[in-house]
Amino acid sequence: MNEITVSIKDLFYRILSKWRVMVVFALIFAIAGGAFSYVSSYKSSQKAYDEFMAGQVEDEDTEGDKELNAILNLIEETGSVLNSTEKKQVENAFESYKDFTEQINQIQNYLNKSVKMNLNPNAVPTMTLQYLVDNHYEAVYPVIEYTDFTEDIISSYNAKILNTNTCQQILNQIEWETDIAYVRELISVNKSANNIMTIRIYAPDEATCEAIAVIIQQAIVTETPGVKKLYGDFDLSFIHKQYSLNVVSDILSTKQGYVANMNTIAQAYANVEKNLSKNQISYYDAIVNAYLHETMKTDAESTDSKSVNPEAETILDMVETEVEETAPVVRGKLDIIFVILGFIGGVVIVCGVYFLIYIFGRNIRNEDDIREVFGVRVLGTVNAGEKKKLFGFIDRWLGKLFYKRRYVYSNEERYEMITSGARISMAKNNLSKVFVTGVSADEDSRKFAEKLAETLGANSGKSVLDDPVSLEKMSESDGIVLVERIGESSFDDIRKELELVKENNIKVIGAVVIC
């Protein structure tokens, strides 16, 4: 057995023939490289944003402290020219300012959050439920021996319908994020003529009216046994349910009342400064500015609070808008360089793996290994009957590029050349009993050995290293043809096979290599 050599040409061919694996790994590594670049750039931009915002907060704190110190200095400066009585008058005016502002904000808050106040008073979606309450009361004059509890019964239902549990069920059902108080004011329970309990439900639309009505009807059924325990047996009969669009004058009148109240407060606020001197007004303005500054700072630290003074809220919005416009955008960026490097890296890794397999592998790599390592004549090569592969034309193109001779003749033509060469050797060496075998156990090698043996009129069998029957057949033969497969037949097994052939004084006609 001679030294195993490496064919650079065949090495390149074997590596390039694995181009499908290269493409798969190249794509995987390209995607991984792109993902890495995106995540890295996203983290970098996030870090830059955090650093920017931290700097903004620090700058705002510093500027805020400077502004507050300036206001405090102004308070001290303007207050230094006033006596204690004048200062007391200013402080009283400031307390009135805070009270007025708080009252206005409370009214604005209610008008903004109240569902009822935001309905169109000229077309309010209304659901009306009516029940007849019969407690079997009869007035027998001149003596009345029984008390009429109808109004008490309706009052009890009013309390049950508007309790926290029922209102919370309504909130959960219609998925509103508001206070229970704003739900209660949408529902009214009153006594109408002839002992009729009338329930009116206001809501933004008919579907919501219906949803609330269902919950109220369920509450009436649930609470009726408890009401009967208080007032004795009575009958509660459902009369009807009706949806309509109604004019609700109390919504408009309530709004008008609140607006008038706000105007009154505003007028009173305007009169605050009229009784102050010029120096007192300067002192007053400084105190108000300090109050507004502290309010802004408190609102900036709160994620859900509202400014006490609308002007302060406007200033805060301007500051936040400016920060948002100048802050770095947090986003990832796909760097094509990393994609390319990942693609190349995937190709290099696959090439490296197959390079090592080729160099350190123990299986034959081409027909030259049979000829040079073992000194056995190669009768010819045939291509394995592989199944059709995706883009198989690339495999054929690579084969023609590196081993043009293999593709000049078809498998049938090369098979004829192999059989002719074998017959000539058999005739020259007067060999009559020929055995066809090989160490490769794959299906293609076995079928080819059987076909060749049938053509030559010889016997075939499995590997003589593993099969006693084949070994016996070989010992009875005077010539042998080896069928070996590239990538399947190992150097060690072929060496052992040839040693057995030599021990039995059998002539080696040649070898057929399946590619």
Side-chain angles (χ1 to χ4, degrees), residues 140-154:
V140 181
Y141 296 97
V143 180
I144 299 176
E145 297 179 346
Y146 192 75
T147 303
D148 185 2
F149 290 112
T150 301
E151 291 188 0
D152 296 325
I153 291 171
I154 293 175

Side-chain angles (χ1 to χ4, degrees), residues 41-90:
S41 64
Y42 181 86
K43 288 182 177 179
S44 298
S45 63
Q46 180 66 57
K47 183 179 179 181
Y49 179 82
D50 293 339
E51 291 175 351
F52 176 85
M53 295 305 296
Q56 285 291 327
V57 172
E58 183 178 350
D59 292 343
E60 287 175 6
D61 290 343
T62 303
E63 292 174 3
D65 292 340
K66 291 180 179 178
E67 185 178 349
L68 180 59
N69 290 333
I71 294 173
L72 294 177
N73 291 334
L74 183 60
I75 292 174
E76 184 177 356
E77 180 182 341
T78 55
S80 63
V81 299
L82 301 177
N83 57 39
S84 59
T85 302
E86 291 174 326
K87 283 185 178 181
K88 185 64 176 178
Q89 291 174 345
V90 172

Side-chain angles (χ1 to χ4, degrees), residues 434-500:
V434 175
F435 186 66
V436 181
T437 186
V439 297
S440 178
D442 66 284
E443 187 69 13
D444 289 333
S445 299
R446 185 184 62 80
K447 287 184 177 180
F448 183 84
E450 291 175 355
K451 179 182 178 181
L452 182 61
E454 183 179 355
T455 303
L456 298 177
N459 293 321
S460 66
K462 299 179 182 179
S463 172
V464 294
L465 302 179
D466 305 319
D467 184 30
V469 176
S470 297
L471 179 61
E472 185 176 346
K473 287 182 180 180
M474 185 194 72
S475 64
E476 296 173 353
S477 303
D478 50 13
I480 189 170
V481 176
L482 302 179
V483 177
E484 306 299 349
R485 176 100 185 241
I486 292 176
E488 296 287 341
S489 302
S490 71
F491 287 104
D492 291 338
D493 288 344
I494 296 175
R495 177 182 56 79
K496 293 176 183 178
E497 185 180 46
L498 291 174
E499 287 176 354
L500 289 175

